[in-house]
Amino acid sequence: MKNPTKKLYYIIFLISLITLALEITLTRIFSVTMWYHYAFMAISIAMLGMSTGAVTVFARKYGELSHEKIRDKIASYATFFALSTLLSLFVLLSVPFVPRMTGIGIFTQAFLFTVSAIPFYASGVIIALILTTRYMDKINTLYAADLAGAAVGTLLFFLFMSLTDALSFVIFLAAVASGVAWYTKKSHIRAITTVLLLIFTLWNHSSSLIKIEWSKVETGALHAAIEQNIEWERWTPFSRITVSPNSDSAFGWGISPTFYEEFPTMKIPQKQLIIDSAAGTIITGKKYEISELHHLRFDITNMAHYFVNDGRVAIIGVGGGRDLLSALYFDQKEVWGIEINKRILEAITDEYKDFTYPFATLPKVHLIHDEARSFIERSSLKFDIIQASLIDSWAATASGAFVLTENSLYTVEAWKIFLNHLTDDGILTMSRWYFKKRPGEMLRLANLAWTALKENGIENPEEHIMIVGMLYHGPDIPEERQFGTGTILVSKKPFTKEQKHLLTTISKRFKFDVIVNASTKKASIFSDILNPKERDSLLKTHPLNLYAPTDDSPFFFNTLRPLSIFSYGNIDSEGPLSTNLKAVSNLFVLLAILIVLVLLFILAPLWIHMENSSIEMILNPHTLYFSAIGMGFMLIEIALIQRFTVFLGHPTWSIIVVLFSILLFTGVGSRFSSAVWNKFGKKAIFIALFVILLTIGLFNMIYLSDLSSTHLAVRLLYAFVTMALIGTVLGMPFPTGMQQLQETNEESIAPWLWGINGAFGVVSSVLATIISLFFGISITFFAGLASYGFALLALLLISKKIAQKK
């Protein structure tokens, strides 16, 4: 063979492309079949599989194979990638995921994650065969092709998920893997397999031959039934939308019991629109004129409309159009519906236009496809009402899947934006779950309102806040577990005596509880959190974290304190909030599962097959170096994804700009690392890395929120330049480390170092989430920077070792 490495660039590019695309696609599938807080595990699973593949290369001494034998192995493992991708998909769709802390629950989680890692094991073998065996002299360019392929994989995911469903896309990726096998070593069987997989892709796209038939087992039979009665389904790069039949009982998040007394026979045709089998909303059928939808005035989420007449309303999250109908029912002059998900707008304005009201053509309605915070901040309009009814993130976005439900709507910075875009008499209103015995979520919402008002210069914020609640009563619900919906109203001006009286009158009429009425005179825990004299003590001593979230720590739904993860014994008693609290505590279980899997599949095999002394290998400065850059890269990457997902607003942009650019420019850094090393020295790489990361980290921590009001083009440019700089310097340490192996004549341990690098990356993906949740995104970023400090220390030790040999 004249040039045995020529094909390797195409092979590693394509394998990395489909590996990254499969990894992101798994976040979408996990978010549907599991709960959103498991979706970020896809990155850990991918790294676990790939690192295990590198261990195989090391243990089986593939580095000693001839070029021809290596090509055979690549072809075989590419075929294995294709077939195992299908196998893992079928297992994921067939075996219910049980997210319980029982023996069976933990086993199920470990089993499904292990099966999901199998395709990545195959790609790990292929990539390690190319990067750590006979071709290390071309490590810079090969590693650059590897990262460039991963970058293009993000674009491929975005393109295909806008055209087809996640399951068909996975089958297509299997077909590409089979095609790589054929390209590496042609055979009729591989060609036929590739063609059959492509046909299977088209068949499944057109007829849904395989589909999701169950989801989120913990909720019981409800979601299984919904999956069996789907009328319409669409996927996007950050969600799956389905529409199913629903009962004709008038729907509301908090309808007063008096409605059923006054309108006992009112029936309304409805459809249920669901995001990722969890977050639901209702599409209302047009049986009645809008003025006859009387259930809307009985809903606690619409309380603000009693205080505003003929106003301009902004609805955050259009959903099925229920809040739009509410504004129209109360005869507001103008309503702006802001919806981040294009498929939802497609459902109500196109697919179900004959079923529901003609929102797209109603003269008072303006439908906007955008992220609400970003749109409102850029808008020159002032609104009389800004409303968000139980808007949350039960679904994982593709790039945000690594962060565990960051939500840019529930931060101090966001609320200051909303307040600044109200008219002088305007009201910001949001509704959340209200659990009377343990109202943690509503308490945090109240503190968020108080903090935002205070930072906006309001002297007595408590006079600007009103809260009402309604409990769902029933014979099967004991008093201590009764929950319902709470609604907060926040005004730029202090609420007047007349407005307070109106709130009391309406609440009495509809049997709502007045929790806060623009004062702290009524003794309660809500009064304490709004009272300047009592709030500091309450915030410090309450078992839950009630501090107001910020853009640096945008985790509104995580209310557990770091030291109460295992000691807080009331998680199951927190009502709807318990799901999010379990998500956080489960992080540590997932971390434990990953550590066991890393020990079992990576470190134990490496230990067994080491020819050198085990202690000597562990103490080798190369081991410290690759461990540190594995951890540092993952901590920094996830921190940046978390921060820029909030900054850019729309998940689509975070996919394209953040993931694509950091991977692309990491490849650029790898490509030119040798030139930088030769001209400026190894230390120069780390000096540049520290200067760039420290500068950008400090700037983002202090000034990034101020840039959020700029035009999207400016924010995209800033994100792109930032990712280009960071990606370039982060791409240099890995190939630099591999080149150092050649200087110390230790090329034989390259797969061991690849495995160690991956092992620390696997664990760090969860560790990054934990650090951000409890200490903030900036701390995660600087922890990654500190990891590179250890890498620099190892570099100095290696340089000393090289000098001694000379």
Side-chain angles (χ1 to χ4, degrees):
M1 187 179 296
K2 293 182 179 180
N3 186 0
T5 64
K6 186 175 181 180
K7 279 189 174 182
L8 295 180
Y9 290 97
Y10 300 108
I11 292 170
I12 198 170
F13 178 89
L14 289 171
I15 289 296
S16 295
L17 183 152
I18 58 179
T19 298
L20 199 283
L22 178 61
E23 177 185 322
I24 302 177
T25 307
L26 280 181
T27 69
R28 294 272 76 271
I29 296 173
F30 283 2
S31 192
V32 176
T33 61
M34 308 175 189
W35 286 101
Y36 67 92
H37 44 266
Y38 292 95
F40 80 99
M41 284 291 291
I43 188 171
S44 300
I45 288 167
M47 295 193 69
L48 173 68
M50 295 180 71
S51 300
T52 305
V55 170
T56 299
V57 173
F58 175 72
R60 298 187 178 181
K61 302 183 184 301
Y62 286 165
E64 300 176 4
L65 298 176
S66 65
H67 295 300
E68 185 67 25
K69 291 291 186 182
I70 288 177
R71 189 182 70 167
D72 291 343
K73 290 294 182 185
I74 290 173
S76 297
Y77 277 100
T79 300
F80 181 56
F81 186 116
L83 299 179
S84 61
T85 296
L86 284 183
L87 172 66
S88 63
L89 177 63
F90 292 148
V91 171
L92 283 174
L93 298 180
S94 303
V95 179
F97 181 81
V98 183
R100 301 190 184 101
M101 295 306 102
T102 62
I104 293 298
I106 293 173
F107 172 80
T108 302
Q109 294 175 53
F111 172 73
L112 288 175
F113 290 147
T114 302
V115 171
S116 301
I118 294 175
F120 300 105
Y121 163 77
S123 68
V125 171
I126 295 171
I127 292 171
L129 276 169
I130 295 173
L131 294 182
T132 66
T133 56
R134 290 184 172 271
Y135 315 105
M136 286 183 61
D137 58 321
K138 302 182 182 299
I139 184 69
N140 294 340
T141 52
L142 286 171
Y143 189 53
D146 170 39
L147 293 169
V152 175
T154 64
L155 299 183
L156 187 73
F157 165 81
F158 174 74
L159 173 64
F160 271 74
M161 288 301 295
S162 300
L163 300 173
T164 187
D165 60 278
L167 308 185
S168 297
F169 184 47
V170 170
I171 301 169
F172 172 75
L173 294 176
V176 176
S178 181
V180 171
W182 175 84
Y183 173 74
T184 306
K185 191 168 185 179
K186 294 179 175 59
S187 74
H188 294 303
I189 294 178
R190 292 190 177 108
I192 292 170
T193 301
T194 303
V195 172
L196 289 176
L197 286 171
L198 289 173
I199 293 172
F200 189 14
T201 300
L202 296 173
W203 188 7
N204 198 71
H205 170 74
S206 61
S207 62
S208 296
L209 184 65
I210 60 170
K211 58 185 179 181
I212 295 172
E213 297 184 2
W214 59 268
S215 59
K216 298 175 173 63
V217 158
E218 195 174 32
T219 61
L222 172 62
H223 291 287
I226 290 173
E227 294 297 337
Q228 295 298 325
N229 293 282
I230 292 174
E231 296 179 352
W232 184 77
E233 177 189 38
R234 290 293 184 276
W235 291 75
T236 73
F238 54 93
S239 68
R240 172 196 183 230
I241 308 299
T242 61
V243 176
S244 306
N246 198 69
S247 72
D248 57 2
S249 179
F251 173 84
W253 293 115
I255 291 185
S256 163
T258 59
F259 166 75
Y260 302 102
E261 297 170 4
E262 297 183 26
F263 297 91
T265 61
M266 186 174 184
K267 301 296 181 183
I268 302 174
Q270 297 171 139
K271 303 285 185 182
Q272 187 169 31
L273 187 152
I274 299 180
I275 304 170
D276 283 354
S277 298
T281 182
I282 290 295
I283 302 176
T284 305
K286 54 184 177 183
K287 177 179 178 181
Y288 299 96
E289 295 293 327
I290 294 177
S291 60
E292 297 175 325
L293 296 174
H294 301 302
H295 66 295
L296 297 174
R297 66 182 165 94
F298 288 81
D299 197 322
I300 197 170
T301 62
N302 292 325
M303 181 65 75
H305 289 290
Y306 286 94
F307 296 84
V308 174
N309 295 315
D310 197 32
R312 176 185 288 130
V313 180
I315 302 298
I316 298 176
V318 170
R322 184 189 153 283
D323 288 344
L324 298 176
L325 293 173
S326 297
L328 297 172
Y329 176 85
F330 281 90
D331 201 25
Q332 304 294 359
K333 69 177 181 181
E334 197 173 315
V335 54
W336 292 72
I338 312 158
E339 176 55 58
I340 194 171
N341 197 314
K342 184 178 181 180
R343 294 297 193 188
I344 290 180
L345 293 178
E346 177 186 338
I348 64 173
T349 61
D350 184 15
E351 189 68 24
Y352 286 88
K353 64 182 179 181
D354 295 329
F355 174 81
T356 191
Y357 297 86
F359 295 112
T361 57
L362 290 174
K364 290 185 176 182
V365 176
H366 306 271
L367 295 178
I368 306 296
H369 174 221
D370 203 343
E371 193 274 329
R373 171 177 167 174
S374 176
F375 171 79
I376 291 173
E377 188 169 20
R378 301 192 318 269
S379 176
S380 59
L381 298 173
K382 295 285 186 177
F383 298 96
D384 298 289
I385 296 176
I386 298 178
Q387 180 181 9
S389 301
L390 286 104
I391 300 296
D392 49 32
S393 182
W394 291 90
T397 66
S399 65
F402 314 139
V403 303
L404 199 134
T405 190
E406 82 287 13
N407 199 308
S408 61
L409 297 178
Y410 297 100
T411 69
V412 173
E413 293 86 349
W415 279 45
K416 288 167 66 177
I417 292 168
F418 298 149
L419 290 169
N420 290 336
H421 282 78
L422 291 174
T423 59
D424 290 341
D425 296 313
I427 293 175
L428 169 63
T429 177
M430 292 198 181
S431 300
R432 295 296 320 155
W433 300 118
Y434 171 52
F435 193 42
K436 188 173 184 178
K437 292 292 182 180
R438 299 184 182 279
E441 196 164 284
M442 285 304 299
L443 281 170
R444 198 173 204 193
L445 199 68
N447 186 42
L448 174 57
W450 193 96
T451 305
L453 287 165
K454 193 69 175 177
E455 291 195 10
N456 260 9
I458 302 299
E459 186 175 350
N460 299 304
E462 62 275 9
E463 297 177 1
H464 299 246
I465 300 171
M466 298 195 298
I467 304 174
V468 289
M470 193 214 77
L471 298 177
Y472 304 131
H473 297 279
D476 299 327
I477 306 176
E479 182 180 358
E480 67 273 8
R481 296 189 66 84
Q482 288 178 355
F483 75 94
T485 304
T487 294
I488 188 170
L489 291 84
V490 185
S491 175
K492 292 179 70 172
K493 289 183 177 180
F495 283 108
T496 64
K497 182 179 179 180
E498 293 74 20
Q499 288 175 318
K500 296 179 188 179
H501 178 71
L502 178 60
L503 182 77
T504 303
T505 302
I506 295 170
S507 298
K508 184 177 181 180
R509 160 85 168 80
F510 293 141
K511 299 181 181 179
F512 297 153
D513 296 330
V514 177
I515 300 171
V516 173
N517 200 355
S519 76
T520 58
K521 293 180 181 179
K522 181 181 177 182
S524 72
I525 191 171
F526 282 91
S527 297
D528 291 344
I529 205 166
L530 299 177
N531 189 328
K533 297 179 180 179
E534 304 290 340
R535 54 182 278 104
D536 289 341
S537 175
L538 175 63
L539 289 172
K540 291 177 182 177
T541 59
H542 195 278
L544 297 178
N545 175 18
L546 302 178
Y547 286 96
T550 64
D551 281 355
D552 190 58
S553 184
F555 308 102
F556 175 82
F557 302 104
N558 169 37
T559 54
L560 280 181
R561 297 179 183 273
L563 298 179
S564 64
I565 292 294
F566 302 106
S567 61
Y568 187 62
N570 295 310
I571 289 181
D572 288 329
S573 302
E574 290 291 348
L577 185 59
S578 64
T579 298
N580 292 295
L581 298 184
K582 288 177 182 177
V584 177
S585 60
N586 285 356
L587 269 177
F588 291 88
V589 176
L590 296 176
L591 180 61
I593 290 174
L594 282 176
I595 290 173
V596 170
L597 293 176
V598 164
L599 290 172
L600 200 60
F601 294 115
I602 300 176
L603 298 184
L606 285 172
W607 190 282
I608 292 169
H609 289 88
M610 278 192 286
E611 294 179 355
N612 299 336
S613 165
S614 301
I615 299 301
E616 180 185 342
M617 189 76 84
I618 292 172
L619 296 179
N620 190 315
H622 289 293
T623 299
L624 172 61
Y625 181 87
F626 280 92
S627 301
I629 65 173
M631 176 175 285
F633 183 88
M634 190 55 58
L635 292 176
I636 288 172
E637 181 188 35
I638 291 181
L640 289 169
I641 290 172
Q642 290 171 329
R643 199 66 177 89
F644 279 103
T645 296
V646 174
F647 176 65
L648 295 175
H650 203 291
T652 298
W653 294 123
S654 66
I655 296 171
I656 295 177
V657 178
V658 179
L659 278 180
F660 172 76
S661 57
I662 196 170
L663 289 168
L664 177 65
F665 283 97
T666 302
V668 171
S670 171
R671 172 64 180 82
F672 294 103
S673 61
S674 181
V676 174
W677 179 2
N678 292 331
K679 187 170 184 178
F680 300 104
K682 290 176 284 189
K683 295 179 185 177
I685 291 175
F686 279 86
I687 291 172
L689 185 148
F690 287 124
V691 169
I692 289 173
L693 289 181
L694 187 61
T695 302
I696 292 175
L698 291 173
F699 183 89
N700 286 350
M701 187 169 62
I702 300 171
Y703 299 111
L704 191 62
S705 293
D706 296 333
L707 291 178
S708 62
S709 61
T710 59
H711 191 275
L712 177 61
V714 176
R715 284 179 286 137
L716 288 172
L717 178 62
Y718 174 77
F720 181 79
V721 171
T722 299
M723 291 298 124
L725 290 171
I726 292 177
T728 300
V729 294
L730 290 185
M732 294 183 179
F734 187 87
T736 298
M738 285 296 183
Q739 287 179 328
Q740 288 178 122
L741 283 178
Q742 294 176 308
E743 290 197 25
T744 58
N745 297 319
E746 295 176 278
E747 296 97 324
S748 62
I749 67 169
W752 151 263
L753 297 173
W754 180 275
I756 286 294
N757 179 267
F760 274 81
V762 169
V763 174
S764 298
S765 63
V766 180
L767 189 61
T769 302
I770 292 173
I771 295 172
S772 293
L773 276 171
F774 294 114
F775 304 105
I777 296 170
S778 295
I779 298 299
T780 304
F781 183 89
F782 289 113
L785 185 59
S787 294
Y788 278 100
F790 285 102
L792 177 59
L793 173 62
L795 179 70
L796 297 176
L797 294 174
I798 294 169
S799 298
K800 184 178 179 181
K801 189 175 180 179
I802 294 171
Q804 289 174 346
K805 283 194 172 186
K806 291 181 179 179

